[in-house]
Amino acid sequence: MSEFFQQLINGLAIGAIYALIALGYTMVYGILRFINFAHGDVFMLGAFAGYFLSPVVNRFLPAQSYAGGAVVLVLAMAICALIGMLIEFLAYRPLRNRPKLTVLITAIGVSLFIEYTCQHDAVFKAAPRKFPELIPFTNWHLGGLVLNTNQVIVFVTTMLLLVALTVVVQKTKVGTAMRAVSFNEQAAALMGVNINRIISFTFGLGSALAAAGGILFAMNYASIDPLMGVQTGLKAFVAAVLGGIGNLPGAALGGLLLGVVETFAGGIPGLSNYRDGIAFGVLILILLFRPAGLLGKLQTEKV
Amino acid sequence: MLEVKSLQVSYGAINALDGISLSVKPGAIVTLIGSNGAGKTTTLKAISGLLRTQAGSIAYDGQDITNLPPHQIVKLGISHVPEGRMIFANLTVHENLMMGAYLQKDRHVIHGELELVFATFPRLKERGKQIAGTLSGGEQQMLAIGRALMGKPKFLMLDEPSLGLAPLLVKTIFEKIVEINHQHGITILLVEQNANLAFEISQYGYVLETGRIILQNESKLLRQNPQVRSAYLGA
Ligand SMILES: Nc1ncnc2c1ncn2[C@@H]1O[C@H](COP(=O)(O)OP(=O)(O)OP(=O)(O)O)[C@@H](O)[C@H]1O
Ligand SMILES: [Mg+2]
């Protein structure tokens, strides 16, 4: 029984990270109707931002402190928000009125560009690096369960970010504008909404969440490299489709669910070798049996 | 107030507007009628900046607004209630109205506008929290107009407000349009297929046919024009 809960905790921890990344895929899809395949690379850049920021922040704040960790997280999110907005501005905005396939292929190009630039010796190099310990590490034993600080931080940070995102999207003017643009761009423009600004904001928001995911991932898996966004990014994309692409609660649910399923399946003897393939099995099943995703619904419009 | 000169708009190779000119005087209700595909919607979209023009010019209050982006045109006080209403079906009624006041920063002004809209369409007040997509067709039209009024426009363009509504409701909506024109002093450009009603409430009219203005005159004279009567008034 305790093993069950242990697996559940492990699954939810990785699932929370998928959820953070999946939100960015789904937000961009909601507004521009394409998959930003470079999003997984922003997740990677978030982890690297944390790697390089940590020693700088430690000059002002003690190493392995919660304050220091929080500052690293917030700065990395801000940097990646800017990177995300820059990607949109340079690569996608010029193609705004082109066929979606053109944009999709461009996204793959942007992704490859980031991955191979970052692997260059003058940039991050291809070899994995050890991620610094941002916060004091402790193992907690609860009954038969082991829970470490990094896992707790994943849950706490993800919860806070999900609440913040919900408030932004549901309660603020810019969030209402995001929902309006995603429903009907022309109508939103007629209200005086500067569409480009809302799209830019959406990329910034999604990229900040991906950066948070990158830091949390690196804290738990200790090793980072320029290709770390490939597989995790694809899985988060599956999570977004699982929850219903374009649907925010769906992305969060899809991420958590995928993390749990993957972790449990990985624990089954004989299946553990296929752990990383499970996400794609889930994708195929979803596309076959519930293409709109768990929470997605086919929208009908009244005329 | 609005001065359109030799406006030309095309969709790829298709020429939708072939050099049309029209003008709207402050305080007036002017109507633009024409059959399906004549180019009425295209005209309004070009004025509000949703479509780019190939040639010609659009001036508003003496200022050239040709090919400005829509959000800058809205800022000048031009509001466009699009064909098919285009309300935000995923937002509540209240959120839709707030989107209408997107450029307005002053809370008091927004509140004042909201009261005016509720005075015109009391139904919207009762439905504040309802998801707009679940409103009836008539209520959606009221919301579309109310949302446009939230921006405190000086010039309002309406694209077939009678579309898909029962005759009684059409009458109500047209009464509201007159009320908006009289009480709020908002100049109106009304696109309609219901030529009868449109001529009744407007002072001046234009008849559009395949991208060209074929007739223009005072509405009461257009109503008696034999050509208009046979083609648009079913006489
Ligand atoms: N997006 C588009 N792409 C290509 N052609 C278009 C497009 N929109 C409109 N057209 C064409 O432009 C012409 C004018 O269309 P428009 O919508 O302005 O007509 P309308 O007078 O508003 O008609 P209706 O009364 O049916 O609304 C039509 O021939 C139409 O087929
Ligand atoms: Mg039309």
Side-chain angles (χ1 to χ4, degrees), chain A residues 134-154:
Chain A
L134 295 183
I135 55 167
F137 186 87
T138 327
N139 269 325
W140 283 310
H141 296 266
L142 299 162
L145 302 180
V146 190
L147 193 63
N148 66 46
T149 26
N150 286 338
Q151 284 175 322
V152 174
I153 288 298
V154 169

Side-chain angles (χ1 to χ4, degrees), chain A residues 173 179 190-192 302, chain B residues 71 74 90 95 99 102 135:
Chain A
K173 192 165 167 173
R179 287 181 288 141
L190 289 180
M191 304 296 109
K302 217 175 213 165
Chain B
H71 64 269
V74 178
N90 57 334
E95 285 172 335
M99 282 305 296
Y102 187 78
L135 292 175

Side-chain angles (χ1 to χ4, degrees), chain A residues 8-142:
Chain A
L8 188 63
I9 289 171
N10 296 344
L12 287 173
I14 183 68
I17 292 168
Y18 293 156
L20 287 175
I21 312 168
L23 286 164
Y25 279 111
T26 230
M27 277 195 282
V28 166
Y29 183 87
I31 286 195
L32 291 177
R33 302 291 187 276
F34 85 98
I35 303 299
N36 174 20
F37 277 112
H39 191 58
D41 302 300
V42 175
F43 156 84
M44 174 275 291
L45 290 172
F48 272 90
Y51 175 90
F52 289 111
L53 282 168
S54 173
V56 180
V57 169
N58 287 346
R59 274 189 241 153
F60 308 99
L61 290 163
Q64 291 182 39
S65 68
Y66 286 104
V71 171
V72 168
L73 179 76
V74 170
L75 288 178
M77 287 173 72
I79 290 170
C80 285
L82 290 177
I83 293 174
M85 288 156 88
L86 196 68
I87 292 173
E88 187 274 324
F89 183 77
L90 294 177
Y92 305 144
R93 189 169 300 184
L95 304 174
R96 190 64 56 74
N97 297 317
R98 298 298 172 81
K100 293 296 170 230
L101 189 61
T102 311
V103 193
L104 208 65
I105 292 168
T106 305
I108 295 171
V110 172
S111 171
L112 292 172
F113 174 79
I114 296 175
E115 284 158 19
Y116 288 91
T117 306
C118 290
Q119 284 184 79
H120 194 277
D121 282 347
V123 190
F124 300 154
K125 301 189 175 67
R129 295 165 186 249
K130 189 183 175 311
F131 195 74
E133 285 187 19
L134 295 183
I135 55 167
F137 186 87
T138 327
N139 269 325
W140 283 310
H141 296 266
L142 299 162

Side-chain angles (χ1 to χ4, degrees), chain A residues 170 173-174 176-177 179-184 186-195 198 299-303, chain B residues 45 48 50 70-71 74 80 82 85-91 95 99-104 133-135 140 147:
Chain A
Q170 296 297 332
K173 192 165 167 173
V174 60
T176 312
R179 287 181 288 141
V181 171
S182 97
F183 186 78
N184 188 329
Q186 289 206 336
L190 289 180
M191 304 296 109
V193 176
N194 184 338
I195 304 293
I198 295 298
Q299 273 176 346
T300 48
E301 216 172 318
K302 217 175 213 165
V303 195
Chain B
K45 282 187 167 178
S48 60
L50 289 177
H71 64 269
V74 178
H80 176 180
R85 318 189 238 287
M86 291 198 194
I87 55 153
F88 302 113
N90 57 334
L91 269 51
E95 285 172 335
M99 282 305 296
Y102 187 78
L103 293 174
Q104 185 56 256
T134 63
L135 292 175
Q140 290 194 7
R147 184 180 67 174

Side-chain angles (χ1 to χ4, degrees), chain B residues 11-12 14-17 34-43 45 51 83 159-160 191 193 208:
Chain B
Y11 298 99
I14 306 163
N15 230 353
L17 292 182
S35 45
N36 290 107
K40 307 179 296 294
T41 298
T42 306
T43 306
K45 282 187 167 178
L51 285 175
E83 186 174 18
D159 197 343
E160 297 201 38
V191 159
Q193 292 219 28
L208 194 61

